[in-house]
Amino acid sequence: MALPGLDQLPELLALLQEAAPALGQGAAYTLAFAVAAMLGGLLIGFPVAVLRILPWRLLRWPAAVYVSLMRGTPLLVQMFVIYYGLPSIGIEFAPLTAGVLALSLNAGAYLSESLRGAILSIAKGQWAASFSLGLGYGQTLRHVVLPQALRVAVPSMSNTLISLIKDTSLVSVITVTELMLSTKEAIATSFRPLPLYLAAAAIYWALSLLFEALQGVAERRLNRAHRQP
């Protein structure tokens, strides 16, 4: 006896084959947005992390407010404020720029906490030893502390990138083409939401697995010098 729905398999395969080019293009855009936002988040997150560990409160509190604001409000609201709200005061961005900016600002807050935690995990004796050798604060941070902190921060930073891959689906609300918007457009012409949404979910999963594998490679390389002989 034939399995229920097995006779619909050729039709589903034809639907997926027809939608594959649009979904593939959307996946490429999703990947590009995630990487761009990750780079932007690192450019923001690193100085914010450094500011948060400085001994001067006047420099620490603006960074702390930024982190609290970005982590305490939904990314979707942040995107709406940037794309729909800022034009009312004369600041306007193209949809693509607004989407990448919102993702970068949001990721920067989380990455700054990952980096800050990793920096603080380095023993204070490392700082004292560097200062005794005549290195300044900046030199110690750059040459002694950050190389060790990066190894500690890689897992949480990789998790942020994987989250960014999924968060890019939100840029579809400001008409930026990516995987979710491409899926919606395919559904609008085929009226078959379930298989196409499942296909989109499978692509997001595959991208996440790819970056999990890259995370493992990075961790092994960074931990190579710390392995027992």
Side-chain angles (χ1 to χ4, degrees), residues 81-100:
V81 167
I82 292 173
Y83 185 65
Y84 294 112
L86 292 183
S88 65
I89 59 174
I91 303 174
E92 190 169 351
F93 296 102
L96 177 59
T97 304
V100 172

Side-chain angles (χ1 to χ4, degrees), residues 6 8-9 11 20 25 55 64 69 73 81 87 89 98 113-114 132 142 151 165 183 188 209 223 225:
L6 192 59
Q8 298 180 5
L9 185 58
E11 181 183 351
Q25 184 181 37
L69 178 64
T73 57
V81 167
I89 59 174
E113 287 297 278
S114 298
S132 68
R142 178 182 177 185
R151 181 175 61 88
I165 292 172
T183 304
L209 290 175
N223 289 326

Side-chain angles (χ1 to χ4, degrees), residues 201-219:
I203 293 173
Y204 280 118
W205 189 17
L207 291 175
S208 297
L209 290 175
L210 170 63
F211 280 97
E212 286 179 13
L214 292 176
Q215 171 189 339
V217 172
E219 287 183 15

Side-chain angles (χ1 to χ4, degrees), residues 161-182:
L161 177 55
I162 293 172
S163 296
L164 275 173
I165 292 172
K166 295 175 287 185
D167 290 341
T168 55
S169 62
L170 295 177
V171 302
S172 64
V173 302
I174 56 175
T175 68
V176 175
T177 300
E178 45 69 63
L179 178 56
M180 187 52 62
L181 185 59
S182 299

Side-chain angles (χ1 to χ4, degrees), residues 8 30 124:
Q8 298 180 5
T30 288
K124 294 186 182 297

Side-chain angles (χ1 to χ4, degrees), residues 21 33 43 59-60 72 84 98 111 114 125 135 147-148 180 196 198:
F33 292 151
L43 291 175
L59 295 177
R60 289 202 313 266
Y84 294 112
L111 288 171
S114 298
L135 297 179
Q148 300 177 74
M180 187 52 62
L196 293 175
L198 289 176

Side-chain angles (χ1 to χ4, degrees), residues 118-137 139-149 151-152 226:
I119 292 171
L120 293 177
S121 71
I122 305 303
K124 294 186 182 297
Q126 301 269 355
W127 293 87
S130 299
F131 293 153
S132 68
L133 292 174
L135 297 179
Y137 187 92
Q139 292 174 311
T140 300
L141 184 64
R142 178 182 177 185
H143 297 294
V144 179
V145 174
L146 278 181
Q148 300 177 74
R151 181 175 61 88
V152 177
H226 299 269

Side-chain angles (χ1 to χ4, degrees), residues 15 33 47 54 71-72 104 112 135-136 152 199 222 225:
L15 172 65
F33 292 151
L54 291 177
R71 297 176 69 195
S104 297
S112 72
L135 297 179
V152 177
L222 289 170

